[in-house]
Amino acid sequence: MYLWSSWRAQKPVSDTFAVVNCSQLVTLGGAHRPRTGGDLRQLAIVEDGAMLVRDGLIEAAGRRREIESLLAGGCEIIDAGRRLVMPGFVDAHTHPVFAGIRANEFEQRATGATYREIAARGGGIRATVRVTRTASLKDLVKAGRRYADWFLRSGTTTVEAKSGYGLTPEDELKILRAIRKLNDETPLRYVPTFLGAHDVPAEYGSRRGMYVNLIINEMLPSVAREKLAEYCDVFCEQDVFDVDESWQILSAARCHGLGLRVHADQLSLSGGARLAAELNAATADHLEHTDLTGIMALKAGGVQPVLLPGSVYALGSNQYPAARQMIDAGLAVVLATDFNPGSSPTPSMPMILSLACTQMKMTPAEAITAATINAAYSLGRGDEIGSLEKGKRADFVIHEASDYRELAYFFGVEHPWRVDAGGKLAFTRS
Ligand code: NIG
Ligand code: FE
């Protein structure tokens, strides 16, 4: 099944090729910045579009006739067959490396237990931590490959990937090393984030300060020394890390050169959004309980909101984040899966697009922008991925559809017909 072992080292079939006969080439070309307001609806679609790829990068994207005039004889042609061609999704919030699953908790929630009650009796994140600590690096990479395959076949070519199920120095490093290995060995690109502050481990009991010190004095320096993460994240929430503890951890992370992301206001109005704003974090994620003051603070702090409707849906809640208010406030909204074994067991960005449109009243175009170019900017990669423009990496998906709105409209369907990452075939249905 995993044809792509050591995929990174493989050569593409051809250094130069063209993709032609696209019903819509959704380029998302435009201003070189995260999109806000009315710009979220501008997808820069080329009808009957085509694209030229050289050495893994996009050389040109435009109308078929223009591109055909650039082709030398013998250039390999990929016929999209009047299908929709889009950038690969950029999933800017995932927890993709863990051992075991929690289908038992899913069943308990179906019979009335809440996520918090399950966590309070030792389930939740701590349940996954127990199993993940016993797993080897090899076990974690093996499990991670299965999920990498799911991401790719849903049309995702880059994921942000958090640690956070180890909560000891060795186990957190083990997870970050697994992420590095998955990045090296699969077609999926991983942007690593250190989330040692995902929970206070059970063995610390009420000695919370000691665990915060361990993160600051041991974990962060090792992560930085080995360059195992680009970002640091904290779960800022009642009974997890309060605003003061989160501030200490994130400030220390910044001193090590890491970018900042925050799990904010997910289960209650915990002050996470305001903290993210105060620290000018790259993102504040979740935001189900964020009020207008928090939204305005994000705007003032230049923070991108990352909305995760999959976790609201899977927890059986109806408290979706206020996407429309955020768009009206001029925020560069991002959508992501939050893929994890507890609150959001889906790798599917099309499912997230569907939820964004039906539950948060985003338009299909706004949702696509949030899931591609805006997500790329939130990861500091806006000049590299997230749109189909000259000079960007040839991460693209040919979908079994002819109109971009179909991706959110037909839900529960695997749309991709072919996925290329860096100009190399990563998944094909044919
Ligand atoms: O983003 N909120 C904290 N972390 C995850 C859930 C992780 C889990 O349940 O294992 C989230 O929803
Ligand atoms: Fe999360």
Side-chain angles (χ1 to χ4, degrees):
M1 178 176 173
Y2 303 111
L3 296 171
W4 28 262
S5 61
S6 305
W7 182 89
R8 198 68 68 209
Q10 289 167 24
K11 284 234 166 294
V13 181
S14 170
D15 290 342
T16 307
F17 63 88
V19 184
V20 302
N21 202 15
C22 314
S23 64
Q24 294 181 334
L25 182 73
V26 177
T27 67
L28 285 126
H32 295 189
R33 57 166 184 265
R35 311 291 159 77
T36 56
D39 286 351
L40 278 158
R41 297 188 185 199
Q42 305 304 322
L43 298 182
I45 297 171
V46 184
E47 306 281 341
D48 194 20
M51 193 167 64
L52 179 62
V53 174
R54 193 186 305 278
D55 296 329
L57 299 177
I58 297 167
E59 176 111 340
R63 297 192 73 83
R64 181 180 191 162
R65 237 170 300 120
E66 289 161 33
I67 301 300
E68 280 177 346
S69 71
L70 303 173
L71 303 186
C75 174
E76 197 194 330
I77 303 285
I78 296 172
D79 185 346
R82 304 296 304 157
R83 292 181 179 85
L84 167 72
V85 178
M86 297 228 320
F89 291 118
V90 178
D91 190 345
H93 183 136
T94 84
H95 307 248
V97 173
F98 53 86
I101 61 165
R102 308 213 305 264
N104 56 334
E105 294 181 5
F106 175 72
E107 186 176 44
Q108 287 161 23
R109 286 202 302 278
T111 52
T114 68
Y115 184 73
R116 268 192 164 148
E117 284 161 8
I118 292 169
R121 48 182 196 246
I125 294 170
R126 286 181 178 179
T128 299
V129 168
R130 284 193 294 278
V131 197
T132 303
R133 283 179 177 177
T134 66
S136 66
L137 174 66
K138 209 168 151 207
D139 296 335
L140 293 180
V141 172
K142 185 170 176 225
R145 281 177 157 268
R146 177 178 188 225
Y147 307 133
D149 185 49
W150 290 354
F151 281 113
L152 286 162
R153 54 191 305 142
S154 320
T156 297
T157 46
T158 300
V159 294
E160 181 263 9
K162 302 174 196 297
S163 66
Y165 291 115
L167 312 186
T168 67
E170 313 77 69
D171 292 306
E172 284 297 305
L173 292 186
K174 177 177 72 181
I175 294 170
L176 290 170
R177 290 192 185 110
I179 292 171
R180 178 174 281 179
K181 234 173 142 39
L182 288 161
N183 182 66
D184 291 343
E185 294 179 1
T186 76
L188 191 63
R189 293 275 173 169
Y190 290 74
V191 179
T193 293
F194 169 62
L195 180 55
H198 198 189
D199 202 352
V200 179
E203 64 273 19
Y204 279 78
S206 59
R207 294 167 305 151
R208 319 171 45 81
M210 278 182 71
Y211 185 63
V212 173
N213 287 341
L214 181 76
I215 293 176
I216 294 174
N217 299 325
E218 269 196 52
M219 295 192 194
L220 273 169
S222 324
V223 168
R225 204 177 316 115
E226 287 196 45
K227 295 192 175 11
L228 280 167
E230 290 182 33
Y231 289 92
C232 177
D233 190 348
V234 172
F235 187 10
C236 180
E237 186 61 66
Q238 263 176 33
D239 307 326
V240 194
F241 295 93
D242 64 23
V243 170
D244 185 48
E245 292 162 333
S246 303
W247 185 88
Q248 290 178 46
I249 295 165
L250 292 167
S251 303
R254 167 166 289 161
C255 292
H256 287 286
L258 298 180
L260 309 182
R261 313 181 90 81
V262 188
H263 276 73
D265 303 335
Q266 179 185 10
L267 306 171
S268 63
L269 182 52
S270 58
R274 291 210 223 173
L275 174 69
E278 195 182 315
L279 290 169
N280 306 114
T283 67
D285 304 42
H286 279 290
L287 308 176
E288 285 85 333
H289 292 267
T290 304
D291 57 11
L292 194 55
T293 318
I295 292 175
M296 297 323 283
L298 294 177
K299 174 66 182 162
V303 183
Q304 284 191 258
V306 180
L307 309 184
L308 310 164
S311 62
V312 182
Y313 168 78
L315 293 181
S317 157
N318 54 15
Q319 178 95 31
Y320 286 89
R324 287 255 60 94
Q325 270 187 8
M326 294 180 196
I327 292 170
D328 289 347
L331 295 181
V333 170
V334 177
L335 286 168
T337 61
D338 195 16
F339 175 70
N340 74 70
S343 65
S344 193
T346 181
S348 168
M349 285 302 285
M351 177 69 195
I352 299 306
L353 299 185
S354 171
L355 290 170
C357 297
T358 59
Q359 308 301 309
M360 306 197 300
K361 303 300 176 200
M362 291 174 71
T363 68
E366 288 171 334
I368 284 172
T369 303
T372 53
I373 188 70
N374 274 10
Y377 275 106
S378 87
L379 294 171
R381 283 161 167 75
D383 54 357
E384 203 185 315
I385 53 174
S387 64
L388 302 177
E389 293 179 278
K390 183 174 167 57
K392 287 209 172 177
R393 211 161 65 212
D395 288 1
F396 66 90
V397 184
I398 305 179
H399 290 281
E400 196 65 83
S402 53
D403 181 308
Y404 72 88
R405 291 170 296 194
E406 291 179 49
L407 296 189
Y409 163 73
F410 285 119
F411 68 99
V413 174
E414 277 194 348
H415 301 278
W417 180 70
R418 171 186 172 120
V419 179
D420 282 60
K424 290 202 290 185
L425 182 65
F427 167 75
T428 175
R429 192 133 11 138
S430 51

